Amino acid sequence: MSDHGTSREDLWKSVDALWTWLERDQPVNGREGLLLRMLKLSEEVGEVSEAVIGAIGQNPRKGVSHTWDDVQGELCDVVITALVALRTLTPDTREVFHRHLGRVTERSLGPGHV
C-alpha cells in the first residue's frame, strides 16, 4: 500500500481515472488538446529542474528553497503526467508501456533481464 491507500496494482486504474477526469474537464479538445497534454510534460520537467536548483541552493537570490523530497515528488509528477499522456494516445497504456520497457531493458542490459 502507498501513503494514500492505493495498491501498486491500482497504478493503471489511477492512470485511467486521471485521464477520464482530465478528458471530462478539458477546455481545449481535438488536436490542440492532445498537443497541450503532451506539452504538460515540459512544464513538469521544468518543475523538477526548479526543485533541483532549489535543493542545492544554486539560485543566490532564493538560496535553498526545496528539498530532495520535493525533487522526488516532482519526478513522480513527471511519471504520472507521462503515463496520462500515453493513455491519451492509446487505451492499451499498460501493454504499450510494458512492451517498450521490455525492449529498453533488453537493449540496455541484454537478453534475459526482462
Side-chain angles (χ1 to χ4, degrees), residues 24-57:
R24 184 177 50 243
D25 296 327
Q26 184 171 237
V28 179
N29 293 308
R31 188 175 207 154
E32 285 182 348
L34 173 68
L35 294 174
L36 289 168
R37 180 85 39 92
M38 301 305 139
L39 286 175
K40 179 70 175 163
L41 276 166
S42 294
E43 177 189 351
E44 295 297 341
V45 169
E47 291 176 9
V48 170
S49 299
E50 179 183 12
V52 169
I53 289 168
I56 62 175

Side-chain angles (χ1 to χ4, degrees), residues 95-113:
E95 292 78 17
V96 169
F97 177 79
H98 285 291
R99 186 172 54 241
H100 189 75
L101 178 61
R103 285 194 302 262
V104 170
T105 302
E106 185 171 327
R107 181 178 68 225
S108 301
L109 302 177
H113 286 92

Side-chain angles (χ1 to χ4, degrees), residues 49-69:
S49 299
E50 179 183 12
V52 169
I53 289 168
I56 62 175
Q58 182 63 28
N59 184 334
R61 185 174 55 82
K62 294 182 180 179
V64 176
S65 58
H66 292 75
T67 67
W68 289 104
D69 284 343

